[in-house]
RNA sequence: GAGCCCGUAGCUCAGUCGGUAGAGCACCGGACUUUUAAUCCGGGUGUCCUGGGUUCGAAUCCCAGCGGGCUCACCA
């Protein structure tokens, strides 16, 4: 094992000579190995975190503690050296004195490189300048860093490098750490809030024989043993509704969806959604759940329901405004689609709305909304009552079957969620699928497929239910003031490229 | 997919009209026993994204490509 390691290193060291700093680190590594030391071994195990010691100094003052983390700065003053140790909780200063540790250990400490991962044992004290520190009694090297870290002051700014080498971004950019910690807290809070309300969390397939539950182009793959094509899921919806059929009345799933579509500051090919379904409820109930969830999450992770996004104040405090899609269109464009019933397509085109060739009346309304209205919806608002032909899984309105009991909350001009009273009439659902199949045959490759297996489930009886989907990434963008979805995804997709 | 912008040292960035490649941090050598962006003295460590072209001469101008960002388009 050790021989193997040594061998590999010597092979690599030739190419590493490209960079003086890497050469120095390789040389130190090889010297340690020759001295019989393993520079990648677990040694001193931390008993405390930096934050614990700093925040409860009075409790630990004079006590011996063990800490472990990454060496991030060194200030050498002859026989005394200060260093900054960063662990997952924060930063703490180390103090090493020649007189205290002896010549050999002192030289070894100075020989460490910034970025090395070390363990230390020492006594907590406060320096003359008032900084809580640990006077090191012993230390060990637990991972030699062979590459230099980005600069401590400016951090890693290059956006491409921050995405490609997120570990460096997380190491040196505190704001990036903050975003992903907050993302974790958002997901945890959603889970807890739903659990408190009696929802159970489930996991449904990512690999679908028939991609369904959304209008989107799927990624295709292939299962060798079954000898059949499979699709990465574009939404978990149809499986979660099968669980309603099965008698789970409140279910939710948090997980990835995959859509084989464009990439932008608001779109990543794989993204995380929450979908929740509640039996014996309708879209009104789900709107309340939506505004409650999002505002409670904000309160929990940010301590407020009034947030700042890119310099704009957004008030997430419920209740949110509700407006039907037709009302919203009339409010912002003056177009009255109620009065224009039967002439939707020509009216939309006259207003300068771009439409696909085979657009349906509902598409004309939806496109008008998306192209003319969306951008105005900054403060949270539920847009409701979407046309039935663009809502193939939603229940029709009792008072007007051309529209559905559906809602989409908009915040900052973004569609942040989507929900409706779930269509549980298998006869109507079949008609909707047949309409989608016609669209697909007419060239719409985002139209739904016929899903006989799902229809069969509905035929056994699905309770009336409300459903809700929230885009977690966009929600996290809002809550963390992040301008790009890639800022809230740890490893966003990039074209492959050799290391810079 | 289209338009605009960007790519120089490990990192952050300068680089004028086309004339020997620069700074800060980091790094290397030296001094320094309470500093904290430590300080002081000395040292520039480079595939100027890649490949062509123009030119006596290209980081710089032109063409193509690669990668990235933003805005559109598609979408959540």
């Amino acid at each position: 094992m050790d021989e193997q390691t040594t061998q590999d290193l010597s092979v690599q060291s030739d190419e590493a000579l490209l960079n003086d700093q890497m050469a120095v680190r390789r040389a130190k590594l090889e010297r340690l190995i020759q001295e019989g030391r393993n520079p990648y071994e677990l040694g001193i195990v931390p008993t405390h975190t930096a934050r614990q010691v700093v925040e409860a100094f009075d409790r630990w003052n004079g006590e011996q503690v063990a800490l472990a983390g990454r060496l991030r700065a060194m200030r050498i003053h002859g026989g005394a050296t200060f260093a900054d140790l960063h662990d997952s909780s924060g930063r703490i200063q180390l103090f090493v004195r020649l007189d205290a540790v002896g010549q050999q250990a002192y030289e070894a400490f100075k020989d460490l490189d910034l970025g090395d991962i070390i363990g230390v044992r020492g006594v907590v004290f406060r320096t003359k300048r008032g900084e809580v520190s640990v006077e090191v009694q012993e230390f060990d090297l637990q991972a030699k860093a062979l590459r230099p870290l980005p600069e401590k002051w400016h951090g890693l700014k290059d956006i491409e490098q921050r995405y490609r080498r997120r570990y460096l971004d997380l190491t040196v950019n505190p704001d990036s750490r903050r975003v992903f910690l907050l993302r974790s807290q958002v997901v945890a809070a959603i889970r807890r809030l739903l659990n408190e309300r009696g929802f159970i969390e489930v996991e449904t397939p990512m690999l679908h024989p028939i991609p369904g539950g959304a209008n989107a182009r799927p990624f295709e793959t292939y299962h060798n043993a079954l000898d059949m094509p499979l699709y990465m899921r574009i939404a978990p919806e149809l499986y979660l509704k099968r669980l309603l059929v099965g008698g789970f009345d409140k279910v939710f799933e948090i997980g990835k969806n995959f859509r084989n579509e464009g990439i932008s500051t608001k779109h990543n090919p794989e993204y995380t959604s929450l979908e929740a379904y509640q039996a014996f409820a309708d879209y009104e109930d789900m709107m309340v759940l939506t505004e409650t969830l999002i505002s409670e999450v904000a309160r929990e992770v940010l301590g407020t329901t009034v947030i700042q996004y890119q310099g704009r104040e957004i008030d997430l405090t419920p209740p949110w405004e509700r407006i039907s899609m037709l009302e919203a269109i009339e409010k912002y464009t003056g177009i009255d689609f109620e009065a224009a019933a039967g002439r939707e397509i020509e009216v939309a085109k006259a207003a300068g709305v771009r439409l696909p060739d085979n657009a349906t009346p509902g598409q004309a309304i939806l496109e008008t909304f998306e192209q003319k209205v969306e951008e105005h919806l900054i403060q949270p608002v539920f847009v409701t009552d979407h046309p039935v032909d663009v809502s193939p899984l939603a229940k029709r309105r009792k008072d007007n079957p051309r529209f559905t009991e559906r809602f989409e909350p908009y915040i900052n001009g973004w569609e942040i969620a989507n929900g409706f009273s779930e269509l549980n009439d298998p006869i109507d659902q079949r008609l909707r699928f047949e309409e989608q199949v016609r669209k697909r045959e007419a060239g719409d490759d985002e139209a739904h497929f016929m899903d006989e297996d799902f229809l069969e489930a509905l035929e056994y009886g699905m309770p009336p239910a409300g459903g809700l989907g929230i885009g977690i990434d966009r929600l996290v963008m809002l809550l963390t003031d992040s301008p790009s979805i890639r800022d809230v995804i740890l490893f966003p997709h990039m074209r492959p490229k050799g290391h810079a």
Side-chain angles (χ1 to χ4, degrees):
Chain A
M1 183 68 181
D2 279 350
E3 269 179 18
Q4 183 70 48
T5 306
T6 311
Q7 226 171 30
D8 289 344
L9 288 169
S10 60
V11 170
Q12 290 170 28
S13 57
D14 288 338
E15 57 186 80
L17 287 173
L18 288 172
N19 177 314
D20 62 328
Q21 302 197 36
M22 285 170 60
V24 166
R25 288 161 187 253
R26 293 270 176 179
K28 287 182 183 175
L29 178 78
E30 287 180 22
R31 195 166 69 241
L32 287 168
I33 290 168
Q34 276 164 18
E35 290 167 0
R37 311 258 305 280
N38 181 349
Y40 294 101
E41 198 163 44
L42 176 63
I44 294 171
V45 173
T47 57
H48 295 67
T49 65
R51 176 194 279 265
Q52 279 179 323
V53 172
V54 171
E55 288 190 350
F57 170 73
D58 291 337
R59 165 75 182 80
W60 305 113
N61 186 17
E63 299 285 316
Q64 188 189 62
V65 297
L67 298 165
R70 199 182 285 278
L71 193 62
R72 289 294 306 283
M74 256 215 271
R75 297 174 289 280
I76 300 171
H77 301 261
T81 291
F82 296 89
D84 292 346
L85 184 74
H86 286 233
D87 67 14
S88 63
S89 74
R91 169 197 169 274
I92 192 166
Q93 178 167 266
L94 305 179
F95 180 57
V96 192
R97 240 168 14 110
L98 170 61
D99 297 345
V101 299
Q103 183 78 28
Q104 196 178 349
Y106 190 71
E107 292 301 326
F109 189 86
K110 286 202 297 181
D111 206 39
L112 292 169
D113 288 303
L114 300 189
D116 286 354
I117 292 174
I118 63 172
V120 303
R121 209 183 323 271
V123 176
V124 177
F125 76 111
R126 198 189 286 274
T127 64
K128 273 185 197 166
R129 299 287 177 92
E131 174 151 0
V132 175
S133 305
V134 171
E135 174 153 6
V136 174
Q137 295 165 319
E138 56 175 323
F139 73 94
D140 59 13
L141 176 61
Q142 305 200 14
K144 184 71 191 165
L146 295 179
R147 293 172 182 268
L149 290 173
E151 198 213 344
K152 60 187 169 188
W153 194 243
H154 296 95
L156 185 67
K157 285 193 168 176
D158 185 294
I159 293 175
E160 180 176 355
Q161 294 304 325
R162 288 185 49 220
Y163 296 157
R164 285 191 194 276
R165 301 200 273 197
R166 184 67 86 183
Y167 47 90
L168 290 181
D169 182 39
L170 292 169
T171 300
V172 304
N173 294 333
D175 282 348
S176 182
R177 282 187 86 83
R178 182 192 133 259
V179 165
F180 291 105
L181 285 172
L182 199 138
R183 178 172 181 139
S184 172
Q185 291 166 357
V186 165
V187 173
I190 290 172
R191 260 198 185 101
R192 193 181 54 69
L193 289 163
L194 287 171
N195 283 327
E196 281 173 358
R197 284 165 173 73
F199 284 82
I200 63 166
E201 182 169 5
V202 297
E203 292 176 273
T204 65
M206 298 270 177
L207 296 172
H208 290 185
I210 299 171
N215 297 81
R217 282 208 301 277
F219 287 94
E220 298 171 31
T221 185
Y222 193 81
H223 192 289
N224 292 335
L226 293 177
D227 189 25
M228 63 179 289
L230 286 171
Y231 301 87
M232 306 293 284
R233 79 174 180 198
I234 55 176
E237 172 156 354
L238 300 186
Y239 284 93
L240 292 170
K241 287 198 223 179
R242 284 172 170 93
L243 298 179
L244 295 176
V245 173
F248 283 151
D249 282 353
K250 288 179 166 183
V251 295
F252 75 98
E253 178 164 8
I254 295 173
K256 289 286 183 68
N257 297 323
F258 306 88
R259 299 190 179 179
N260 206 341
E261 289 163 353
I263 293 177
S264 78
T265 50
K266 292 177 204 62
H267 301 84
N268 195 61
E270 59 180 288
Y271 71 99
T272 301
S273 73
L274 159 72
E275 286 204 10
Y277 292 84
Q278 179 173 349
F280 309 112
D282 65 9
Y283 78 133
E284 299 273 1
D285 300 304
M286 301 319 277
M287 277 193 269
V288 173
L289 179 62
T290 302
E291 62 191 5
T292 305
L293 269 183
I294 290 178
S295 59
E296 280 303 307
V297 165
R299 192 197 312 281
E300 199 155 308
V301 304
L302 297 176
T304 175
T305 55
V306 179
I307 64 169
Q308 295 288 327
Y309 186 79
Q310 304 293 297
R312 193 140 60 181
E313 186 173 284
I314 296 174
D315 187 352
L316 301 174
T317 312
W320 297 349
E321 188 189 341
R322 284 142 169 82
I323 187 170
S324 77
M325 183 169 280
L326 292 195
E327 288 166 353
I329 290 171
E330 186 166 6
K331 178 174 174 184
Y332 289 98
T333 70
I335 299 171
D336 182 355
F337 275 111
E338 197 84 57
R343 298 182 292 116
E344 288 88 351
I345 293 169
E346 59 179 286
V347 168
K349 281 186 174 166
V353 175
R354 299 173 302 278
L355 290 179
D357 294 338
N358 49 2
T360 62
Q363 270 177 296
I365 294 172
L366 181 65
E367 289 295 329
T368 304
F369 172 79
E370 288 182 351
Q371 293 175 39
K372 303 290 183 187
V373 180
E374 243 181 47
E375 60 190 294
H376 301 293
L377 307 179
I378 304 306
Q379 297 303 319
V381 54
F382 287 110
V383 174
T384 65
D385 305 350
H386 298 53
V388 68
D389 46 315
V390 294
S391 311
L393 301 169
K395 185 174 277 188
R396 294 175 196 270
R397 289 185 62 79
K398 289 178 273 287
D399 60 357
N400 187 347
R402 293 174 51 241
F403 295 89
T404 58
E405 296 186 1
R406 182 177 174 190
F407 69 91
E408 291 181 314
Y410 279 82
I411 303 176
N412 194 48
W414 307 340
E415 180 190 340
I416 203 89
N418 180 22
F420 34 87
S421 300
E422 302 297 335
L423 177 57
N424 67 334
D425 173 348
I427 308 298
D428 193 7
Q429 184 65 77
R430 180 176 294 278
L431 292 174
R432 307 282 191 91
F433 275 146
E434 285 168 354
E435 179 59 33
Q436 290 291 315
V437 169
R438 274 192 289 278
K439 282 188 182 175
R440 175 163 286 278
E441 284 166 354
D444 182 353
D445 55 6
E446 291 177 2
H448 292 231
F449 289 87
M450 176 61 67
D451 192 335
E452 290 288 352
D453 188 77
F454 174 66
L455 286 172
E456 184 177 329
L458 285 191
E459 287 170 6
Y460 281 96
M462 184 181 91
L468 163 67
I470 297 179
I472 299 296
D473 310 86
R474 287 184 181 180
L475 178 60
V476 174
M477 285 171 71
L478 281 174
L479 296 179
T480 57
D481 197 15
S482 297
S484 169
I485 197 169
R486 297 174 149 204
D487 297 322
V488 304
I489 291 171
L490 280 167
F491 299 101
H493 287 285
M494 306 283 277
R495 281 199 163 81
K497 195 191 178 187
H499 286 294

